[in-house]
Amino acid sequence: MDELSFAEETIDRMKDLYGLAGNHAVVRRTIISRIYYSAHHLSRYLLRRVGLRPETWRRNVHQRVIDEIHRQFVATNMMNAQMIPLLRDMRRNRINADYQLRTTISEGDVEDMFDMFDVYLNECRRLLEVIT
Amino acid sequence: MKVLQRKALKQRIMNLAKEQFGDLLKDVRFSGPFEEEDLDADLILRERISLNELGAKFLNIYQPLEEEGYNVLIGHKFDERSKKVKTKGEKR
């Protein structure tokens, strides 16, 4: 399974999980984390398509992936610049879900993550048509 | 990051957020850093706006911060307390 298929499959399963148990805070945290990692893997997929090897990176990988998405696609006008703050926003939500246990994670937070992921996935699909 | 530098960064983020969001901005909550970033910030917004508009405003906040050498992670939350006081069946 490649990263694109993994991301799409994960989101489908997370939507199922949200429907079944989205009223539980731990499940909401898990879903937010998995949505972020789906976007992260999607980014790595794009970077591999242009010859980079993120699997060999060892430090600051999450930041570096976003920085390279900017360098490879936004700075070259191939991707909408708004994808960068969107990726950071998703990462911030994942950090919140993973580390900040006293912060409430609402259903609205989960739904915003699904919305942000959909925007990013659509932009990635559009880009893939150009670079393949 | 030194305490004074952190304080200055918080103020800088607060000012940029106010510039971009004006009355829409209800609060800015700082935390972290948790990973390799300098600081985390969540902007609490009074009303829902489109992701396009949000992204454009966030870009205007990130750009000067990056030029000043800061690595910040900014998220958003829409303040929905006025719409939804309690979620039925909520489990914690």
Side-chain angles (χ1 to χ4, degrees), chain A residues 80-117:
Chain A
N80 183 335
Q82 291 176 13
M83 295 305 112
I84 300 302
L86 188 124
L87 283 170
R88 289 175 174 160
D89 201 337
M90 284 196 275
R91 186 172 169 220
R92 171 68 201 120
N93 279 344
R94 193 271 297 169
I95 284 177
N96 203 1
D98 282 349
Y99 295 95
Q100 294 181 263
L101 302 185
R102 288 186 179 83
T103 303
T104 301
I105 305 289
S106 69
E107 291 169 353
D109 294 330
V110 178
E111 286 157 20
D112 282 344
M113 276 295 276
F114 277 124
D115 288 347
M116 287 192 280
F117 180 84

mmCIF file of all heavy atoms in Angstrom, chain A residues 80-117:
data_model
loop_
_atom_site.group_PDB
_atom_site.id
_atom_site.type_symbol
_atom_site.label_atom_id
_atom_site.label_comp_id
_atom_site.label_asym_id
_atom_site.label_seq_id
_atom_site.Cartn_x
_atom_site.Cartn_y
_atom_site.Cartn_z
ATOM 1 N N ASN A 80 -1.202 25.735 -3.971
ATOM 2 C CA ASN A 80 -1.748 26.896 -3.278
ATOM 3 C C ASN A 80 -0.975 27.131 -1.965
ATOM 4 O O ASN A 80 -0.834 26.223 -1.148
ATOM 5 C CB ASN A 80 -3.225 26.612 -2.989
ATOM 6 C CG ASN A 80 -3.939 27.775 -2.337
ATOM 7 O OD1 ASN A 80 -3.325 28.609 -1.677
ATOM 8 N ND2 ASN A 80 -5.237 27.824 -2.523
ATOM 9 N N ALA A 81 -0.501 28.369 -1.766
ATOM 10 C CA ALA A 81 0.308 28.710 -0.584
ATOM 11 C C ALA A 81 -0.437 28.459 0.721
ATOM 12 O O ALA A 81 0.189 28.238 1.767
ATOM 13 C CB ALA A 81 0.748 30.166 -0.659
ATOM 14 N N GLN A 82 -1.752 28.473 0.678
ATOM 15 C CA GLN A 82 -2.527 28.281 1.904
ATOM 16 C C GLN A 82 -2.430 26.864 2.459
ATOM 17 O O GLN A 82 -2.862 26.595 3.583
ATOM 18 C CB GLN A 82 -3.980 28.663 1.665
ATOM 19 C CG GLN A 82 -4.145 30.160 1.450
ATOM 20 C CD GLN A 82 -5.563 30.547 1.126
ATOM 21 O OE1 GLN A 82 -6.471 29.760 1.282
ATOM 22 N NE2 GLN A 82 -5.751 31.766 0.660
ATOM 23 N N MET A 83 -1.867 25.948 1.657
ATOM 24 C CA MET A 83 -1.693 24.581 2.157
ATOM 25 C C MET A 83 -0.663 24.525 3.286
ATOM 26 O O MET A 83 -0.715 23.644 4.135
ATOM 27 C CB MET A 83 -1.259 23.630 1.025
ATOM 28 C CG MET A 83 -2.281 23.431 -0.062
ATOM 29 S SD MET A 83 -3.888 22.863 0.540
ATOM 30 C CE MET A 83 -4.893 24.302 0.198
ATOM 31 N N ILE A 84 0.265 25.481 3.312
ATOM 32 C CA ILE A 84 1.311 25.441 4.348
ATOM 33 C C ILE A 84 0.734 25.764 5.736
ATOM 34 O O ILE A 84 0.915 24.971 6.672
ATOM 35 C CB ILE A 84 2.489 26.363 3.975
ATOM 36 C CG1 ILE A 84 3.104 25.908 2.630
ATOM 37 C CG2 ILE A 84 3.545 26.385 5.075
ATOM 38 C CD1 ILE A 84 3.608 24.473 2.610
ATOM 39 N N PRO A 85 0.017 26.889 5.910
ATOM 40 C CA PRO A 85 -0.594 27.093 7.226
ATOM 41 C C PRO A 85 -1.609 26.016 7.573
ATOM 42 O O PRO A 85 -1.788 25.671 8.752
ATOM 43 C CB PRO A 85 -1.255 28.479 7.117
ATOM 44 C CG PRO A 85 -1.260 28.831 5.689
ATOM 45 C CD PRO A 85 -0.139 28.074 5.044
ATOM 46 N N LEU A 86 -2.254 25.459 6.565
ATOM 47 C CA LEU A 86 -3.210 24.384 6.817
ATOM 48 C C LEU A 86 -2.512 23.138 7.386
ATOM 49 O O LEU A 86 -2.976 22.517 8.346
ATOM 50 C CB LEU A 86 -3.939 24.059 5.508
ATOM 51 C CG LEU A 86 -5.105 23.105 5.589
ATOM 52 C CD1 LEU A 86 -6.360 23.769 5.017
ATOM 53 C CD2 LEU A 86 -4.814 21.877 4.761
ATOM 54 N N LEU A 87 -1.361 22.798 6.797
ATOM 55 C CA LEU A 87 -0.591 21.652 7.320
ATOM 56 C C LEU A 87 -0.104 21.921 8.738
ATOM 57 O O LEU A 87 -0.122 21.045 9.605
ATOM 58 C CB LEU A 87 0.613 21.372 6.411
ATOM 59 C CG LEU A 87 0.320 20.652 5.099
ATOM 60 C CD1 LEU A 87 1.551 20.657 4.192
ATOM 61 C CD2 LEU A 87 -0.135 19.214 5.353
ATOM 62 N N ARG A 88 0.329 23.153 8.978
ATOM 63 C CA ARG A 88 0.798 23.497 10.325
ATOM 64 C C ARG A 88 -0.354 23.481 11.330
ATOM 65 O O ARG A 88 -0.182 23.084 12.484
ATOM 66 C CB ARG A 88 1.462 24.871 10.308
ATOM 67 C CG ARG A 88 2.803 24.846 9.597
ATOM 68 C CD ARG A 88 3.355 26.242 9.492
ATOM 69 N NE ARG A 88 4.686 26.260 8.943
ATOM 70 C CZ ARG A 88 5.239 27.337 8.388
ATOM 71 N NH1 ARG A 88 4.554 28.470 8.297
ATOM 72 N NH2 ARG A 88 6.461 27.283 7.912
ATOM 73 N N ASP A 89 -1.506 23.929 10.879
ATOM 74 C CA ASP A 89 -2.698 23.925 11.726
ATOM 75 C C ASP A 89 -3.051 22.479 12.100
ATOM 76 O O ASP A 89 -3.352 22.176 13.263
ATOM 77 C CB ASP A 89 -3.847 24.581 10.945
ATOM 78 C CG ASP A 89 -4.959 25.108 11.831
ATOM 79 O OD1 ASP A 89 -5.094 24.623 12.953
ATOM 80 O OD2 ASP A 89 -5.706 25.990 11.369
ATOM 81 N N MET A 90 -2.978 21.579 11.125
ATOM 82 C CA MET A 90 -3.257 20.168 11.409
ATOM 83 C C MET A 90 -2.223 19.607 12.383
ATOM 84 O O MET A 90 -2.545 18.839 13.282
ATOM 85 C CB MET A 90 -3.298 19.352 10.112
ATOM 86 C CG MET A 90 -4.577 19.571 9.323
ATOM 87 S SD MET A 90 -4.844 18.302 8.060
ATOM 88 C CE MET A 90 -3.877 18.970 6.736
ATOM 89 N N ARG A 91 -0.962 20.001 12.177
ATOM 90 C CA ARG A 91 0.088 19.515 13.086
ATOM 91 C C ARG A 91 -0.135 20.044 14.504
ATOM 92 O O ARG A 91 0.033 19.337 15.486
ATOM 93 C CB ARG A 91 1.470 19.934 12.562
ATOM 94 C CG ARG A 91 2.570 19.338 13.371
ATOM 95 C CD ARG A 91 3.944 19.550 12.788
ATOM 96 N NE ARG A 91 4.920 19.172 13.790
ATOM 97 C CZ ARG A 91 6.044 19.821 14.031
ATOM 98 N NH1 ARG A 91 6.386 20.874 13.309
ATOM 99 N NH2 ARG A 91 6.858 19.423 14.966
ATOM 100 N N ARG A 92 -0.519 21.308 14.571
ATOM 101 C CA ARG A 92 -0.800 21.910 15.890
ATOM 102 C C ARG A 92 -1.943 21.146 16.586
ATOM 103 O O ARG A 92 -1.868 20.872 17.781
ATOM 104 C CB ARG A 92 -1.160 23.389 15.701
ATOM 105 C CG ARG A 92 -1.686 24.072 16.929
ATOM 106 C CD ARG A 92 -0.658 24.243 18.030
ATOM 107 N NE ARG A 92 -1.332 24.437 19.301
ATOM 108 C CZ ARG A 92 -1.197 23.649 20.354
ATOM 109 N NH1 ARG A 92 -0.346 22.652 20.355
ATOM 110 N NH2 ARG A 92 -1.872 23.871 21.445
ATOM 111 N N ASN A 93 -2.978 20.808 15.839
ATOM 112 C CA ASN A 93 -4.096 20.050 16.418
ATOM 113 C C ASN A 93 -3.648 18.671 16.881
ATOM 114 O O ASN A 93 -4.102 18.170 17.904
ATOM 115 C CB ASN A 93 -5.233 19.904 15.389
ATOM 116 C CG ASN A 93 -6.088 21.135 15.314
ATOM 117 O OD1 ASN A 93 -6.039 21.984 16.191
ATOM 118 N ND2 ASN A 93 -6.865 21.256 14.256
ATOM 119 N N ARG A 94 -2.752 18.054 16.114
ATOM 120 C CA ARG A 94 -2.249 16.725 16.498
ATOM 121 C C ARG A 94 -1.443 16.824 17.792
ATOM 122 O O ARG A 94 -1.586 15.998 18.698
ATOM 123 C CB ARG A 94 -1.394 16.147 15.363
ATOM 124 C CG ARG A 94 -1.074 14.655 15.498
ATOM 125 C CD ARG A 94 0.180 14.398 16.284
ATOM 126 N NE ARG A 94 1.361 14.952 15.628
ATOM 127 C CZ ARG A 94 2.545 15.051 16.205
ATOM 128 N NH1 ARG A 94 2.733 14.645 17.445
ATOM 129 N NH2 ARG A 94 3.568 15.583 15.557
ATOM 130 N N ILE A 95 -0.617 17.867 17.891
ATOM 131 C CA ILE A 95 0.171 18.070 19.117
ATOM 132 C C ILE A 95 -0.766 18.288 20.303
ATOM 133 O O ILE A 95 -0.581 17.723 21.384
ATOM 134 C CB ILE A 95 1.156 19.239 18.923
ATOM 135 C CG1 ILE A 95 2.322 18.761 18.049
ATOM 136 C CG2 ILE A 95 1.644 19.780 20.260
ATOM 137 C CD1 ILE A 95 3.332 19.832 17.704
ATOM 138 N N ASN A 96 -1.787 19.078 20.075
ATOM 139 C CA ASN A 96 -2.783 19.316 21.115
ATOM 140 C C ASN A 96 -3.423 17.988 21.556
ATOM 141 O O ASN A 96 -3.526 17.699 22.749
ATOM 142 C CB ASN A 96 -3.854 20.255 20.548
ATOM 143 C CG ASN A 96 -4.606 21.003 21.619
ATOM 144 O OD1 ASN A 96 -4.330 20.855 22.800
ATOM 145 N ND2 ASN A 96 -5.557 21.802 21.202
ATOM 146 N N ALA A 97 -3.809 17.180 20.592
ATOM 147 C CA ALA A 97 -4.478 15.910 20.890
ATOM 148 C C ALA A 97 -3.533 14.927 21.580
ATOM 149 O O ALA A 97 -3.943 14.164 22.460
ATOM 150 C CB ALA A 97 -5.034 15.296 19.608
ATOM 151 N N ASP A 98 -2.262 14.956 21.194
ATOM 152 C CA ASP A 98 -1.304 13.976 21.729
ATOM 153 C C ASP A 98 -0.719 14.367 23.079
ATOM 154 O O ASP A 98 -0.433 13.497 23.898
ATOM 155 C CB ASP A 98 -0.138 13.779 20.744
ATOM 156 C CG ASP A 98 -0.524 12.892 19.579
ATOM 157 O OD1 ASP A 98 -1.611 12.276 19.640
ATOM 158 O OD2 ASP A 98 0.241 12.808 18.612
ATOM 159 N N TYR A 99 -0.491 15.666 23.296
ATOM 160 C CA TYR A 99 0.253 16.094 24.492
ATOM 161 C C TYR A 99 -0.599 16.807 25.533
ATOM 162 O O TYR A 99 -0.301 16.728 26.706
ATOM 163 C CB TYR A 99 1.386 17.056 24.110
ATOM 164 C CG TYR A 99 2.484 16.477 23.268
ATOM 165 C CD1 TYR A 99 2.471 16.600 21.889
ATOM 166 C CD2 TYR A 99 3.570 15.813 23.851
ATOM 167 C CE1 TYR A 99 3.494 16.097 21.100
ATOM 168 C CE2 TYR A 99 4.594 15.304 23.080
ATOM 169 C CZ TYR A 99 4.558 15.445 21.697
ATOM 170 O OH TYR A 99 5.567 14.944 20.928
ATOM 171 N N GLN A 100 -1.592 17.568 25.095
ATOM 172 C CA GLN A 100 -2.274 18.476 26.026
ATOM 173 C C GLN A 100 -3.567 17.843 26.543
ATOM 174 O O GLN A 100 -4.663 18.132 26.038
ATOM 175 C CB GLN A 100 -2.508 19.818 25.344
ATOM 176 C CG GLN A 100 -1.171 20.509 25.051
ATOM 177 C CD GLN A 100 -1.333 21.857 24.393
ATOM 178 O OE1 GLN A 100 -1.249 21.987 23.184
ATOM 179 N NE2 GLN A 100 -1.565 22.872 25.206
ATOM 180 N N LEU A 101 -3.405 16.983 27.516
ATOM 181 C CA LEU A 101 -4.539 16.171 27.962
ATOM 182 C C LEU A 101 -5.580 16.971 28.739
ATOM 183 O O LEU A 101 -6.706 16.522 28.903
ATOM 184 C CB LEU A 101 -4.027 14.990 28.805
ATOM 185 C CG LEU A 101 -3.026 14.082 28.077
ATOM 186 C CD1 LEU A 101 -2.679 12.867 28.943
ATOM 187 C CD2 LEU A 101 -3.546 13.616 26.715
ATOM 188 N N ARG A 102 -5.212 18.168 29.215
ATOM 189 C CA ARG A 102 -6.188 18.982 29.944
ATOM 190 C C ARG A 102 -7.013 19.865 28.998
ATOM 191 O O ARG A 102 -7.937 20.542 29.421
ATOM 192 C CB ARG A 102 -5.487 19.846 30.990
ATOM 193 C CG ARG A 102 -4.982 19.025 32.164
ATOM 194 C CD ARG A 102 -4.405 19.886 33.270
ATOM 195 N NE ARG A 102 -3.954 19.068 34.383
ATOM 196 C CZ ARG A 102 -2.772 18.466 34.430
ATOM 197 N NH1 ARG A 102 -1.916 18.617 33.437
ATOM 198 N NH2 ARG A 102 -2.446 17.731 35.471
ATOM 199 N N THR A 103 -6.636 19.890 27.743
ATOM 200 C CA THR A 103 -7.382 20.691 26.772
ATOM 201 C C THR A 103 -8.542 19.868 26.213
ATOM 202 O O THR A 103 -8.362 18.703 25.859
ATOM 203 C CB THR A 103 -6.453 21.087 25.602
ATOM 204 O OG1 THR A 103 -5.335 21.777 26.127
ATOM 205 C CG2 THR A 103 -7.168 21.954 24.588
ATOM 206 N N THR A 104 -9.697 20.488 26.153
ATOM 207 C CA THR A 104 -10.859 19.793 25.586
ATOM 208 C C THR A 104 -10.713 19.657 24.074
ATOM 209 O O THR A 104 -10.377 20.616 23.393
ATOM 210 C CB THR A 104 -12.145 20.585 25.912
ATOM 211 O OG1 THR A 104 -12.259 20.687 27.323
ATOM 212 C CG2 THR A 104 -13.369 19.898 25.337
ATOM 213 N N ILE A 105 -10.940 18.463 23.587
ATOM 214 C CA ILE A 105 -10.973 18.227 22.138
ATOM 215 C C ILE A 105 -12.431 17.999 21.775
ATOM 216 O O ILE A 105 -13.016 16.981 22.150
ATOM 217 C CB ILE A 105 -10.133 16.982 21.749
ATOM 218 C CG1 ILE A 105 -8.691 17.099 22.258
ATOM 219 C CG2 ILE A 105 -10.190 16.747 20.244
ATOM 220 C CD1 ILE A 105 -7.834 18.107 21.549
ATOM 221 N N SER A 106 -13.005 18.955 21.059
ATOM 222 C CA SER A 106 -14.438 18.889 20.789
ATOM 223 C C SER A 106 -14.728 18.147 19.481
ATOM 224 O O SER A 106 -13.822 17.880 18.687
ATOM 225 C CB SER A 106 -15.006 20.310 20.702
ATOM 226 O OG SER A 106 -14.512 20.929 19.527
ATOM 227 N N GLU A 107 -15.994 17.858 19.285
ATOM 228 C CA GLU A 107 -16.413 17.286 18.002
ATOM 229 C C GLU A 107 -16.107 18.274 16.871
ATOM 230 O O GLU A 107 -15.730 17.875 15.776
ATOM 231 C CB GLU A 107 -17.901 16.943 18.055
ATOM 232 C CG GLU A 107 -18.177 15.784 19.003
ATOM 233 C CD GLU A 107 -19.645 15.565 19.288
ATOM 234 O OE1 GLU A 107 -20.479 16.387 18.860
ATOM 235 O OE2 GLU A 107 -19.970 14.566 19.957
ATOM 236 N N GLY A 108 -16.264 19.569 17.167
ATOM 237 C CA GLY A 108 -15.939 20.587 16.170
ATOM 238 C C GLY A 108 -14.472 20.525 15.746
ATOM 239 O O GLY A 108 -14.151 20.719 14.571
ATOM 240 N N ASP A 109 -13.592 20.240 16.697
ATOM 241 C CA ASP A 109 -12.162 20.115 16.374
ATOM 242 C C ASP A 109 -11.925 18.956 15.405
ATOM 243 O O ASP A 109 -11.135 19.069 14.465
ATOM 244 C CB ASP A 109 -11.331 19.880 17.654
ATOM 245 C CG ASP A 109 -11.361 21.078 18.598
ATOM 246 O OD1 ASP A 109 -11.483 22.210 18.113
ATOM 247 O OD2 ASP A 109 -11.269 20.864 19.822
ATOM 248 N N VAL A 110 -12.607 17.845 15.653
ATOM 249 C CA VAL A 110 -12.448 16.681 14.773
ATOM 250 C C VAL A 110 -12.997 17.003 13.388
ATOM 251 O O VAL A 110 -12.362 16.714 12.358
ATOM 252 C CB VAL A 110 -13.177 15.442 15.355
ATOM 253 C CG1 VAL A 110 -13.046 14.258 14.412
ATOM 254 C CG2 VAL A 110 -12.620 15.097 16.718
ATOM 255 N N GLU A 111 -14.167 17.630 13.358
ATOM 256 C CA GLU A 111 -14.783 17.942 12.058
ATOM 257 C C GLU A 111 -13.938 18.950 11.275
ATOM 258 O O GLU A 111 -13.808 18.847 10.054
ATOM 259 C CB GLU A 111 -16.229 18.420 12.279
ATOM 260 C CG GLU A 111 -17.121 17.223 12.647
ATOM 261 C CD GLU A 111 -18.387 17.591 13.409
ATOM 262 O OE1 GLU A 111 -18.791 18.771 13.340
ATOM 263 O OE2 GLU A 111 -18.958 16.691 14.076
ATOM 264 N N ASP A 112 -13.326 19.904 11.982
ATOM 265 C CA ASP A 112 -12.403 20.837 11.309
ATOM 266 C C ASP A 112 -11.214 20.094 10.713
ATOM 267 O O ASP A 112 -10.736 20.425 9.626
ATOM 268 C CB ASP A 112 -11.879 21.893 12.298
ATOM 269 C CG ASP A 112 -12.904 22.976 12.572
ATOM 270 O OD1 ASP A 112 -13.870 23.091 11.800
ATOM 271 O OD2 ASP A 112 -12.740 23.699 13.571
ATOM 272 N N MET A 113 -10.722 19.081 11.447
ATOM 273 C CA MET A 113 -9.583 18.301 10.926
ATOM 274 C C MET A 113 -9.977 17.544 9.655
ATOM 275 O O MET A 113 -9.218 17.503 8.681
ATOM 276 C CB MET A 113 -9.082 17.307 11.980
ATOM 277 C CG MET A 113 -8.112 17.876 12.976
ATOM 278 S SD MET A 113 -6.519 18.420 12.281
ATOM 279 C CE MET A 113 -5.596 16.894 12.231
ATOM 280 N N PHE A 114 -11.157 16.938 9.677
ATOM 281 C CA PHE A 114 -11.624 16.248 8.459
ATOM 282 C C PHE A 114 -11.717 17.246 7.290
ATOM 283 O O PHE A 114 -11.303 16.943 6.168
ATOM 284 C CB PHE A 114 -12.995 15.601 8.692
ATOM 285 C CG PHE A 114 -12.949 14.254 9.358
ATOM 286 C CD1 PHE A 114 -13.651 14.024 10.535
ATOM 287 C CD2 PHE A 114 -12.229 13.191 8.816
ATOM 288 C CE1 PHE A 114 -13.630 12.778 11.156
ATOM 289 C CE2 PHE A 114 -12.198 11.940 9.431
ATOM 290 C CZ PHE A 114 -12.905 11.734 10.605
ATOM 291 N N ASP A 115 -12.244 18.433 7.582
ATOM 292 C CA ASP A 115 -12.393 19.458 6.520
ATOM 293 C C ASP A 115 -11.026 19.876 5.981
ATOM 294 O O ASP A 115 -10.839 20.001 4.767
ATOM 295 C CB ASP A 115 -13.118 20.702 7.065
ATOM 296 C CG ASP A 115 -14.594 20.442 7.310
ATOM 297 O OD1 ASP A 115 -15.104 19.398 6.836
ATOM 298 O OD2 ASP A 115 -15.230 21.268 7.993
ATOM 299 N N MET A 116 -10.075 20.115 6.902
ATOM 300 C CA MET A 116 -8.739 20.545 6.453
ATOM 301 C C MET A 116 -8.072 19.441 5.639
ATOM 302 O O MET A 116 -7.443 19.709 4.609
ATOM 303 C CB MET A 116 -7.863 20.936 7.661
ATOM 304 C CG MET A 116 -8.273 22.259 8.274
ATOM 305 S SD MET A 116 -7.063 22.906 9.454
ATOM 306 C CE MET A 116 -7.458 21.943 10.910
ATOM 307 N N PHE A 117 -8.235 18.210 6.090
ATOM 308 C CA PHE A 117 -7.634 17.106 5.336
ATOM 309 C C PHE A 117 -8.231 17.022 3.934
ATOM 310 O O PHE A 117 -7.506 16.818 2.945
ATOM 311 C CB PHE A 117 -7.811 15.764 6.066
ATOM 312 C CG PHE A 117 -7.196 14.635 5.295
ATOM 313 C CD1 PHE A 117 -5.839 14.365 5.409
ATOM 314 C CD2 PHE A 117 -7.949 13.882 4.402
ATOM 315 C CE1 PHE A 117 -5.252 13.358 4.646
ATOM 316 C CE2 PHE A 117 -7.367 12.872 3.645
ATOM 317 C CZ PHE A 117 -6.018 12.614 3.768
#
